Amino acid sequence: MTPEKMWQAYKAINPDIGDEVDAWAFGDEPDTLAQLVLEGVKTATASDYDQHLYFDEAIG
């Protein structure tokens, strides 16, 4: 499934989300992790706090 098709499927149940596709990759096993999201098993994510500090990126 392409990011665009996945976005349209998500938009069908969340119409207020908008038209801009927001997609990203999941680390070493993107297909496996994406499938877990689709199954509702994976419902959260995490990031490296030090990377936010190093690149002076907002957290949140």
Side-chain angles (χ1 to χ4, degrees):
M1 179 180 282
T2 67
E4 291 80 12
K5 286 183 180 179
M6 187 178 293
W7 194 258
Q8 291 306 315
Y10 179 67
K11 189 176 171 183
I13 59 174
N14 295 287
D16 296 333
I17 198 68
D19 293 324
E20 185 177 341
V21 175
D22 187 10
W24 59 94
F26 287 114
D28 295 337
E29 297 183 48
D31 292 338
T32 301
L33 294 173
Q35 186 61 43
L36 291 173
V37 170
L38 292 172
E39 293 171 1
V41 175
K42 180 174 175 44
T43 59
T45 191
S47 62
D48 186 342
Y49 178 73
D50 290 336
Q51 290 287 328
H52 287 280
L53 294 178
Y54 181 82
F55 290 107
D56 195 29
E57 296 175 336
I59 299 174

